[in-house]
Amino acid sequence: MRTPVIAGNWKMFKTLEETKAFFQELGNMEFPSQVEAVVCAPFLSLPWMGEHVSNKVGVGAQNCHFETEGAYTGEISLPMLQTVGAKYVILGHSERRQYFAETDEVVNQKVRAVIAHQLVPILCVGESLAEKEANRTNEVVKEQVVKGLADVSADDAKKAIIAYEPVWAIGSGKAATAEDAEEVIGYIRQVLAEIYDQTTADAVRIQYGGSVKPENIATFLAQPNIDGALVGGASLKAESYAQLVQNAVQGGK
Ligand code: 13P
């Protein structure tokens, strides 16, 4: 019912030449049709990806501005992303919240703009280690979800993807257990039912992210509420990316 989506987040890795080499290595590898495969690459790789590999993977960006144009030095707009064939935009990643001071309010403006331009937002939420240790995980993710989706209608929310990425699991090699991730993601679905209704909550795809590897992806996907993964490091090598997509199917979705 909810098609799992496996998205690579390449962060600030790969020149255009390296992007081309990745897809050349990926070659004609067939991906299972049961999953949606996405790569969110640096902006400079997107035009080439849109032209050459968008039939194979969904093309995604890692950020955007919420205005369509204007005096915003260094920013990229949604019409620009549309013209190169991007279909997804990661928003509110913890690295942007931490290093670029993105607030829930700004993330919300971006979520609404992405949906208005018919792209799919991947809204990232997740608690820090200190928040986890203070037993504040549910409170933190609830606030991020509620504020991130403020003024988004139920029909629009259904088009969004939420990525639960505990900050302590990102790049640490210490993934959450599938059971713990399922518990928080189940809670996020409950929050969606409170904001909207059960039908909407059941339609939204929620990914897990944080040290996902080809070896552990199936355990996450086997959980009833986990609809995919947002993967950093393990998505950077073609072989590993292909394995992630293939192994996701073993999750039984
Ligand atoms: P890692 O998979 O490298 O832990 O990164 C996760 C992440 O931040 C994806 O957005």
Side-chain angles (χ1 to χ4, degrees), residues 9 11 93 95 165 169-172 209-213 230-234:
N9 172 11
K11 307 192 179 184
H93 191 282
E95 288 149 17
E165 297 205 308
I170 294 174
S172 66
S211 298
V212 174
K213 306 270 180 277
L230 184 57
V231 189

Side-chain angles (χ1 to χ4, degrees), residues 54-86:
S54 55
N55 57 343
K56 188 169 185 65
V57 299
V59 175
Q62 301 168 19
N63 185 28
C64 66
H65 198 279
F66 50 83
E67 294 289 355
T68 48
E69 61 180 5
Y72 300 103
T73 301
E75 292 293 306
I76 297 287
S77 73
L78 283 154
M80 294 171 192
L81 291 178
Q82 280 177 323
T83 58
V84 299

Side-chain angles (χ1 to χ4, degrees), residues 3-6 26 28-38 55-58 217 221 239-253:
T3 305
V5 49
I6 309 305
L26 213 53
N28 297 323
M29 217 174 279
E30 290 288 328
F31 284 158
S33 57
Q34 304 95 303
V35 297
E36 216 168 288
V38 175
N55 57 343
K56 188 169 185 65
V57 299
I217 192 166
L221 272 283
E239 196 189 339
S240 169
Y241 179 80
Q243 277 172 10
L244 284 163
V245 177
Q246 275 146 7
N247 293 358
V249 180
Q250 293 168 13
K253 295 268 168 68

Side-chain angles (χ1 to χ4, degrees), residues 117-150:
H117 286 84
Q118 284 90 44
L119 276 77
V120 177
I122 302 179
L123 168 62
C124 300
V125 301
E127 83 286 4
S128 67
L129 184 59
E131 289 163 341
K132 176 185 163 62
E133 286 174 348
N135 287 322
R136 293 186 54 224
T137 298
N138 284 5
E139 178 196 332
V140 169
V141 297
K142 180 174 185 173
E143 184 169 353
Q144 290 171 333
V145 169
V146 170
K147 289 187 173 173
L149 292 176

